[in-house]
Amino acid sequence: VTVRVSLGGQQIQEDVVLAYQLVDRDGKQVAGGKSTVSIMEKPLCFETEGVQDWEITNPYMYTLELTLSDKNENLLDEHSVRFGFRTCEFRRDGFYLNGKKIKLIGLNRHQSYPYAGYAMPKRLQERDAEILKEELQVNAVRTSHYPQSQHFINRCDELGLLVFTEIPGWQHIGDE
């Protein structure tokens, strides 16, 4: 796996240390290392043998934890990202997830609620994903043409819901 790390678009004046660890859902480190960086973008390559694929029925998630330190090991920044390993492919005969053909059953989602608009808290955004997966039995959701709540997107990942995120806007795409 190659992860491309961008250091906020700032030019680094001296070498810094980028440390990373890939942690599974049980908190066990499955990969890790350190790299000296002196450029704004750095590819990290590490082996992912034995990792579990993210599946609709078993949405296995990992966390990549990154820290940036100076030469004296003073912490400059840290960031973590949750994700699942998966491959998605459309072929002439359908959709394939991790090489297996999947029938997509889904709905479109708008997140504008009556009387509240977009101002819904985390628990209700997450509940919306749970209703789609558990009560309506869908395995895919298309989000509408505006940025969706990250709480909704994260919960979809945790539940095993595929998400097709629309571009923000549809009225002004392309030329005449």
Side-chain angles (χ1 to χ4, degrees):
V1 166
T2 301
V3 177
R4 191 161 294 279
V5 179
S6 175
L7 304 176
Q10 297 178 12
Q11 186 63 43
I12 298 171
Q13 300 301 319
E14 60 184 62
D15 289 349
V16 293
V17 177
L18 179 64
Y20 67 92
Q21 67 173 351
L22 182 64
V23 180
D24 68 13
R25 68 179 172 196
D26 298 321
K28 179 184 169 200
Q29 180 177 322
V30 296
K34 290 183 181 183
S35 178
T36 301
V37 208
S38 59
I39 55 175
M40 292 186 339
E41 210 170 88
K42 172 77 176 175
L44 293 176
C45 296
F46 50 87
E47 291 299 317
T48 55
E49 252 182 63
V51 296
Q52 291 190 38
D53 283 339
W54 181 98
E55 301 279 349
I56 290 171
T57 56
N58 181 28
Y60 202 95
M61 302 287 289
Y62 290 86
T63 303
L64 179 63
E65 299 171 349
L66 302 161
T67 60
L68 194 63
S69 304
D70 65 17
K71 62 185 176 186
N72 298 319
E73 297 186 15
N74 296 314
L75 182 66
L76 301 173
D77 200 2
E78 58 187 348
H79 186 69
S80 66
V81 179
R82 279 185 76 214
F83 66 96
F85 289 97
R86 57 191 149 207
T87 58
C88 300
E89 180 182 9
F90 282 98
R91 299 181 190 166
R92 288 190 184 270
D93 66 331
F95 175 75
Y96 288 76
L97 177 65
N98 303 323
K100 298 177 214 156
K101 188 174 180 180
I102 303 286
K103 182 178 181 179
L104 296 176
I105 302 167
L107 297 169
N108 181 57
R109 176 187 191 254
H110 282 272
Q111 68 177 20
S112 181
Y113 293 83
Y115 309 109
Y118 300 94
M120 295 306 283
K122 176 183 177 182
R123 66 183 167 77
L124 290 178
Q125 295 289 348
E126 291 175 342
R127 180 70 184 123
D128 225 14
E130 292 161 6
I131 290 169
L132 290 171
K133 177 74 176 191
E134 297 162 3
E135 295 179 27
L136 300 177
Q137 302 291 304
V138 301
N139 61 17
V141 60
R142 174 193 168 263
T143 62
S144 293
H145 42 264
Y146 45 83
Q148 300 289 302
S149 164
Q150 196 59 51
H151 302 303
F152 174 78
I153 301 293
N154 292 344
R155 190 66 179 134
C156 287
D157 270 345
E158 294 165 358
L159 291 170
L161 265 174
L162 294 164
V163 178
F164 177 85
T165 304
E166 276 290 346
I167 58 174
W170 53 268
Q171 306 92 327
H172 310 290
I173 304 300
D175 53 19
E176 293 184 32

